[in-house]
Amino acid sequence: MGFFDKIKQGLKKTSDAVNHSLDSVFAAFVKVDDDLLEELEEALILSDVGASTAAKIVAEVEKRAKLRKTTTADELRDLLREVLTDNMLDNQPLNTDGKPAVILVIGVNGVGKTTSIGKLAARYVNEGKKVMLSAADTFRAAAADQLEIWAKRAGADIVRHGEGADPAAVVFDSISAAKARGSDIIIVDTAGRLHNKANLMNELAKIDRVISRELPDASRETLLVLDATTGQNAVHQAEEFNKAAELTGIILTKLDGTAKGGIVIAISAGLGVPVKLVGVGEGIDDLIDFDRAAFLEAILPPVHENAENDEEQTEEDENAET
Ligand SMILES: Nc1nc2c(ncn2[C@@H]2O[C@H](COP(=O)(O)OP(=O)(O)O)[C@@H](O)[C@H]2O)c(=O)[nH]1
Ligand SMILES: [Mg+2]
């Protein structure tokens, strides 16, 4: 399956839902007035864009619509896409320059950290890179077992300690092993505990100190994994983790299983942390780079595309008649 088909398929539930609610707003279009703007805001909130972000987007749409004297639904649709584009962060690929680069993966239990790490490892190995996985989720032995299975599948190395070991010590050993073996990338899996913020901050700070001391010049990524199916709860987690760690990006998982993909906008426009990767399934190649334009095209198809489809449709109908 091609890259764009994969994004499209992964976003299908979201784009169906968002298209449906926005289409009814545009279908009822007479002019840009308070009623219409209110409906638009409701449709955005229904799509899990979040109340404050939806209000901000609609205020900007109103401003630009007035300036440009927008008179048609098609113009308004383009304008909305433009405002969303301007408010969302641009695509930012992971920075893995230098050797070894370090990717720290954090987030609460069950969001898809270990799975995403496995997929990411497989991707880098396929690119010819040497990958070291660091099993710093020492909370349960099963966590390291799961990461080890992914390491084998992906063709990556792994460093693990016993259950209850100090996560920072695992990271230290992973860095030593990566140096010895000439690894290009170290990906660190962590335990998902948010209930105690002080604990979390201490643990992350300790891991951070080890990495900074052992690899002062390394490229670093701190990626928060969020489960898209949890909607606004994921936004809340993003806010909390953003206070506890210097996030460089988000991995948004399980987009394939939800219509709540509007949280991409809530995060990117509201929180200002870029969504860098999206999970669209449980398979090894189901983690793809986030693409803002492709995302917006899926949830707000450009009007000319619809028109082309209509034309094709009419031609086909005509052919069928003759
Ligand atoms: N459908 C779907 N399932 C996913 C995706 N990412 C992870 N999962 C599933 O989510 C569950 C929890 O994943 P896991 O990596 O163990 O989460 P962790 O506790 O954060 O490490 C597993 O059953 C995964 O297969 C995704 O993008 N799509
Ligand atoms: Mg895990």
Side-chain angles (χ1 to χ4, degrees):
M1 197 192 294
F3 181 72
F4 281 98
D5 290 333
K6 220 173 169 100
I7 294 186
K8 258 198 189 155
Q9 188 186 296
L11 282 168
K12 193 168 181 340
K13 287 185 184 165
T14 294
S15 63
D16 284 354
V18 180
N19 269 318
H20 182 74
S21 59
L22 287 178
D23 276 352
S24 57
V25 174
F26 292 123
F29 182 93
V30 181
K31 60 179 190 305
V32 181
D33 58 11
D34 287 350
D35 282 350
L36 182 91
L37 291 166
E38 208 170 285
E39 271 175 40
L40 183 59
E41 191 168 335
E42 258 169 43
L44 290 173
I45 291 171
L46 264 179
S47 314
D48 264 277
V49 168
S52 61
T53 303
K56 185 172 144 198
I57 299 288
V58 168
E60 187 64 27
V61 166
E62 182 179 17
K63 205 169 101 193
R64 295 192 201 182
K66 270 191 189 140
L67 271 173
R68 294 189 209 165
K69 305 189 169 45
T70 301
T71 53
T72 70
D74 290 354
E75 283 169 356
L76 186 69
R77 182 186 279 271
D78 286 342
L79 205 154
L80 174 61
R81 192 179 321 98
E82 181 191 300
V83 170
L84 287 170
T85 304
D86 292 349
N87 277 277
M88 288 171 70
L89 297 170
D90 202 356
N91 305 337
Q92 295 184 39
L94 294 186
N95 180 6
T96 54
D97 295 344
K99 191 173 167 171
V102 183
I103 303 174
L104 183 64
V105 180
I106 63 180
V108 304
N109 275 333
V111 288
K113 290 182 297 299
T114 307
T115 308
S116 298
I117 290 168
K119 294 169 178 174
L120 202 54
R123 174 204 283 209
Y124 286 130
V125 170
N126 280 338
E127 288 173 6
K129 294 191 162 125
K130 234 173 130 70
V131 179
M132 173 67 64
L133 300 185
S134 178
D137 177 358
T138 57
F139 204 58
R140 297 168 304 127
D145 293 343
Q146 190 193 353
L147 192 69
E148 191 154 7
I149 291 167
W150 273 108
K152 284 210 180 94
R153 204 183 288 172
D157 294 320
I158 181 170
V159 166
R160 61 177 292 183
H161 288 186
E163 189 175 315
D166 177 5
V170 179
V171 173
F172 179 88
D173 282 355
S174 308
I175 293 172
S176 306
K179 283 178 179 169
R181 292 185 213 177
S183 310
D184 299 292
I185 300 171
I186 304 171
I187 313 179
V188 182
D189 194 12
T190 61
R193 279 162 294 158
L194 183 63
H195 61 260
N196 185 336
K197 207 169 130 203
N199 254 351
L200 174 81
M201 286 178 77
N202 283 341
E203 192 165 301
L204 291 180
K206 212 168 153 193
I207 290 175
D208 190 70
R209 274 199 301 277
V210 169
I211 300 171
S212 303
R213 195 178 62 220
E214 300 304 313
L215 293 168
D217 302 319
S219 300
R220 299 272 301 272
E221 290 275 358
T222 300
L223 302 177
L224 175 67
V225 181
L226 297 171
D227 176 344
T229 65
T230 61
Q232 288 305 303
N233 192 17
V235 178
H236 177 69
Q237 285 167 22
E239 286 165 355
E240 287 302 306
F241 272 94
N242 200 29
K243 287 181 211 153
E246 273 178 49
L247 302 178
T248 60
I250 306 269
I251 300 179
L252 194 63
T253 61
K254 310 185 197 182
L255 264 184
D256 51 308
T258 182
K260 297 183 176 186
I263 72 156
V264 169
I265 299 168
I267 292 164
S268 183
L271 195 71
V273 179
V275 175
K276 292 194 170 175
L277 295 159
V278 291
V280 293
E282 294 185 275
I284 199 159
D285 55 358
D286 288 333
L287 185 76
I288 52 184
D289 288 326
F290 178 69
D291 186 289
R292 179 179 60 179
F295 172 77
L296 289 174
E297 239 179 83
I299 64 164
L300 257 179
V303 177
H304 61 86
E305 254 188 24
N306 289 343
E308 270 167 26
N309 289 343
D310 288 351
E311 251 167 48
E312 269 168 31
Q313 198 61 48
T314 344
E315 266 171 33
E316 267 169 31
D317 290 350
E318 275 166 11
N319 289 343
E321 271 164 33
T322 50

